[in-house]
Amino acid sequence: MKKIDVKLTSGRSIEQGIHIDNKMSSGYCDVAAVCELNEVDMSKLGIRDGANVMIKSKFGQVVVRVRTNNRNPPGIAFVPMGPWANAIMDPSTGGCGTPQFKGIEVEITLTFDSISPIKELVGFR
Amino acid sequence: MIITDVLCPFCGDLCDDIIVEVEGNKIIEVKEACETGVSKMMGHERIASPMIREDGKLRKTTYEEAIDKTAEILTNSLRPLMYGWGSTTCEADEKGIELAEELGAIIDNTTSVCHAPSILALQNVGLPSCTLGQIKNRADLIIYWGSNQAEAHPRHMSKYTSFPKGFFTQEGRKGKHVMVFDVRKTTTAEVADDFVQILPGEDYRVLSALRAILAGAVDVVPSSVGGVPKEKLVEIVNRMKNSKFGVLFFGMGLTQSKGKPYNVANAISLVRDLNAHTKFAVMPMRGHYNVTGITQVCTWLTGFAFAVDFARGRPWYNPGETSTVDVLNRGECDSALIVASDPAAHFPRKSVEHLAKIPLIQIDPYPNLTTELADVVLPAAIAGIEVEGTAYRMDGVPLRLRKLIEPTHLSDEEILSRILGKVREIRGD
Ligand code: SF4
C-alpha cells in the first residue's frame, strides 16, 4: 500500500465553526472528518477526492475523507480542529497546559474502512 | 420586533452592530453578522431537560434532582476539576470561581489549550497592545501570524483591520498593507498583499531573524530562514520600520506549534523592539467570545488567568501541573464540572480517556460530545441571546451582552449559585 509521511496541522475552518454547536449532526462529520492534501501528495498516494484515508501518528489513528487543497504545500496535511484531529494528537503540553495541535508527524495511507464515527472517538463507555 | 446594536456571542470579535428580528419568542432574522454568527444566533438543537445517567443511559429529571446530584458528586470528591467558562458571562464566571474556592477545586478555562503560551509569554515580556478601535483608526500595516481569521473571526478584517476607513486611515484598504505568515496558504492569506510561507515549527527562527535584522545584525542571518529567503526578511523589516502604525495579530499557529510560549515571547519582543522605530502593537486573536472575560475575572479574583488550584485553601498557579490537560493526562481529578465548553471534542483523545472514567457534570445549552460522557447534564440558557451579562472583546474592552428572547432554561449563573447553595448546605457552612 502506498503511504506518505507528512506533518499534520489542525485549525478552525468556517464550516466547522458553523457546526460547532451542532456536533452530533451528520453535517459536522461532513466538515470535520476531512483531510486536505496538496495534489502532489494525492498523486503520490494515487487517490482522488472523496477517498478515505487512514492517518496514523504515535498517539493513535483515525479514518477521514480526503480532498485536494493546493493552498496546502506538499508535505502538510490539514484536518479541522475537532475529535477526528484529536484522535491522533500528542497530549503532552511541555509544561504550559497547551498540547501541540500543529506540526504532528503522521503517516497517511488509502483505506477502504469507513470514516471513524464520532461516538467511537470518545466511546469509552 | 427589530433589535439593533446586538452583540454576537460567538467569537472574540464580539461584533456589536448586529440587527435581530424577533417574532413571538423566536429569532427569525439576523443581519450584519457573519455566517458563523448567524448560525449561532438563529439557533441549533438544544438539550431539552436536565438528565442523570443511570445504567449507562441518560434519563430526564428535574433541575432540583440534577443540582442535588451535582453537589453530592462535587462534595464527595477529593480533587474536583472545573473547566470551560469561555462562552458564558463574566457574572457566571465569578460564581464559578466562588464555587471552586468553596470546594478547594482546580478551576481552569479554555485559554489553557489555546493562549496559555501567550499568558506565559506576557508574564515574561509584557504585551504592548491597544484597542481594535485604535487599529481601525490608525494602523497602516496589519500582520496576521499563524491566524486564519478569515475563517475563525470572519468579520475581523472588515470591521477592524484591512477594510474600514478610520480617522487616520481614510483610504481604507488602499492605504493599508496586509501581511500573513503561515505554513499554508489560508483563506486569510489569499486576501493579503503579502503571504510569507514558513516551514512548520520554524516560527521562532523566523522571528529571531527579523529581530536580528532589525538590530542591524544583517550579516549573521543565513540566506534562508524557516523557508523564507533573506532578501524577503530584510524587505519585511524595512516595511515594518517604515509603517506609521503596525499591528501584529497572532493565533494558534504560534501558540500550538513547536516552541509555544517561546514563539509568542519572541513575537512580542519583536514588537517591543519595533517601538524604537515606529508605533507597533501586538494582540492575541482570542477565539471564544468571552474567553478574554474569564481570564480577566479569574485574574482579578485569584491573581492568575487560568489553571488555578484551590486545594491549599488559597490560589495556586502552576501551568503544566494545574492545567486541565495535564491534570487529565495524570489521571488526577476524581470528578469534573464542565461549563460552556466541549473538551471531549477539543482535547487530545488520550486526555479525554480520563474524563470518561470519572463522574462528569455538564452545564451547556447544546448537546455535544461531552454530553456523551456526562453523568449529570444541566441545560443552560444561552448567554447573549436569552441572558444578559458582561463579556470582554479580544482587546480587553468589556461590553454588555443583550437579552433578545425569554429563556426556557436557567442561566449558568443561576445553576452555579444553586449548586453553591447546595454544597454549602451539605457541608453545613
Ligand atoms: S466575526 Fe465573530 S462576533 Fe462577529 S459576527 Fe462573526 S462570529 Fe459573530
Side-chain angles (χ1 to χ4, degrees), chain B residues 246-303:
Chain B
V247 58
L248 190 157
F249 292 99
F250 64 93
M252 311 285 96
L254 270 194
T255 66
Q256 295 178 340
S257 296
K258 195 178 92 189
K260 296 180 278 193
Y262 304 99
N263 296 336
V264 181
N266 217 4
I268 297 173
S269 302
L270 169 65
V271 169
R272 193 187 54 196
D273 298 350
L274 280 163
N275 275 285
H277 302 270
T278 183
K279 173 74 191 168
F280 232 91
V282 61
M283 193 178 295
M285 294 291 297
R286 303 307 314 268
H288 296 300
Y289 74 88
N290 198 26
V291 68
T292 305
I294 176 63
T295 57
Q296 295 274 347
V297 174
C298 201
T299 305
W300 84 56
L301 288 174
T302 74

Side-chain angles (χ1 to χ4, degrees), chain A residues 9-16 36 69 71-72 78 80-81 102, chain B residues 11 13 143-157 180-191 195 249-254 285:
Chain A
T9 188
S10 67
R12 173 84 77 207
S13 78
I14 196 153
E15 308 159 304
Q16 173 267 347
E36 294 183 347
N69 181 350
R71 292 190 278 116
N72 267 16
F78 174 77
M81 57 190 276
K102 320 251 183 204
Chain B
C11 85
D13 277 350
I143 300 171
Y144 291 107
W145 196 306
S147 160
N148 185 14
Q149 75 332 104
E151 310 214 25
H153 300 79
R155 293 180 77 209
H156 196 75
M157 287 186 288
V180 170
F181 291 78
D182 213 307
V183 297
R184 54 187 195 107
K185 193 166 189 194
T186 58
T187 19
T188 311
E190 285 203 322
V191 293
F195 168 50
F249 292 99
F250 64 93
M252 311 285 96
L254 270 194
M285 294 291 297

Side-chain angles (χ1 to χ4, degrees), chain A residues 13-14 18 21 23 59 71-73 76 78 82-83 86 91 93 95-98 100-102 119 122 124-125, chain B residues 39 44 112-113 117 151 183-187 190 197 256 260 319 323 326 329 342 345-347 349 372-373:
Chain A
S13 78
I14 196 153
I18 290 169
D21 290 325
K23 291 204 193 79
F59 311 97
R71 292 190 278 116
N72 267 16
I76 292 188
F78 174 77
N86 287 330
T93 78
C96 75
T98 306
Q100 192 178 318
F101 289 105
K102 320 251 183 204
K119 288 196 182 179
V122 288
F124 308 105
R125 275 178 195 279
Chain B
S39 164
H44 296 294
S112 205
V113 294
E151 310 214 25
V183 297
R184 54 187 195 107
K185 193 166 189 194
T186 58
T187 19
E190 285 203 322
Q197 186 162 325
Q256 295 178 340
K260 296 180 278 193
S323 33
D326 297 282
N329 289 352
D342 187 8
H346 292 294
F347 284 1
R349 178 177 177 149
E372 296 296 313
L373 305 179

Side-chain angles (χ1 to χ4, degrees), chain B residues 35-354:
Chain B
E35 248 185 304
T36 326
V38 170
S39 164
K40 164 131 193 197
M41 298 180 86
M42 291 298 289
H44 296 294
E45 187 198 346
R46 301 281 293 274
I47 303 173
S49 103
M51 294 184 282
I52 290 185
R53 194 175 295 275
E54 257 171 21
D55 304 321
K57 280 212 171 66
L58 287 171
R59 69 155 171 88
K60 286 189 178 167
T61 181
T62 58
Y63 270 111
E64 205 185 355
E65 197 195 352
I67 286 169
D68 287 357
K69 180 83 187 157
T70 300
E72 184 196 311
I73 292 172
L74 292 174
T75 38
N76 284 337
S77 23
L78 284 171
R79 195 98 174 105
L81 168 73
M82 299 168 56
Y83 176 84
W85 315 102
S87 294
T88 184
T89 61
C90 290
E91 291 77 5
D93 292 343
E94 248 183 283
K95 263 297 159 232
I97 292 166
E98 206 182 333
L99 178 62
E101 190 172 11
E102 176 72 36
L103 290 164
I106 295 174
I107 183 158
D108 191 17
N109 60 73
T110 46
T111 300
S112 205
V113 294
C114 59
H115 276 287
S118 314
I119 305 268
L120 295 178
L122 73 89
Q123 284 167 344
N124 279 324
V125 294
L127 189 77
S129 200
C130 62
T131 64
L132 290 169
Q134 282 171 305
I135 291 164
K136 173 186 168 180
N137 286 309
R138 294 172 189 273
D140 60 344
L141 174 61
I142 290 138
I143 300 171
Y144 291 107
W145 196 306
S147 160
N148 185 14
Q149 75 332 104
E151 310 214 25
H153 300 79
R155 293 180 77 209
H156 196 75
M157 287 186 288
S158 60
K159 247 182 99 63
Y160 304 117
T161 62
S162 320
F163 296 101
K165 294 182 177 161
F167 196 80
F168 297 109
T169 52
Q170 304 256 338
E171 286 188 304
R173 181 70 181 87
K174 237 176 54 207
K176 304 180 192 194
H177 191 83
V178 182
M179 230 188 250
V180 170
F181 291 78
D182 213 307
V183 297
R184 54 187 195 107
K185 193 166 189 194
T186 58
T187 19
T188 311
E190 285 203 322
V191 293
D193 299 303
D194 235 341
F195 168 50
V196 185
Q197 186 162 325
I198 39 188
L199 296 169
E202 298 281 322
D203 307 76
Y204 187 90
R205 283 206 183 95
V206 175
L207 286 160
S208 296
L210 292 173
R211 288 181 68 197
I213 295 166
L214 184 65
V218 187
D219 297 347
V220 304
V221 175
S223 59
S224 159
V225 180
V228 189
K230 182 176 181 174
E231 309 80 74
K232 183 71 191 170
L233 293 167
V234 172
E235 182 199 313
I236 294 167
V237 170
N238 285 333
R239 189 177 284 282
M240 286 170 164
K241 277 163 68 177
N242 294 329
S243 68
K244 288 203 197 78
F245 187 125
V247 58
L248 190 157
F249 292 99
F250 64 93
M252 311 285 96
L254 270 194
T255 66
Q256 295 178 340
S257 296
K258 195 178 92 189
K260 296 180 278 193
Y262 304 99
N263 296 336
V264 181
N266 217 4
I268 297 173
S269 302
L270 169 65
V271 169
R272 193 187 54 196
D273 298 350
L274 280 163
N275 275 285
H277 302 270
T278 183
K279 173 74 191 168
F280 232 91
V282 61
M283 193 178 295
M285 294 291 297
R286 303 307 314 268
H288 296 300
Y289 74 88
N290 198 26
V291 68
T292 305
I294 176 63
T295 57
Q296 295 274 347
V297 174
C298 201
T299 305
W300 84 56
L301 288 174
T302 74
F304 308 108
F306 71 105
V308 180
D309 180 3
F310 278 104
R312 291 160 178 81
R314 62 186 161 81
W316 168 267
Y317 164 75
N318 189 19
E321 180 205 350
T322 56
S323 33
T324 299
V325 167
D326 297 282
V327 170
L328 291 174
N329 289 352
R330 289 194 307 272
E332 193 173 296
C333 51
D334 58 352
S335 74
L337 171 70
I338 309 295
V339 181
S341 169
D342 187 8
H346 292 294
F347 284 1
R349 178 177 177 149
K350 295 272 173 215
S351 321
V352 179
E353 276 172 18
H354 185 67

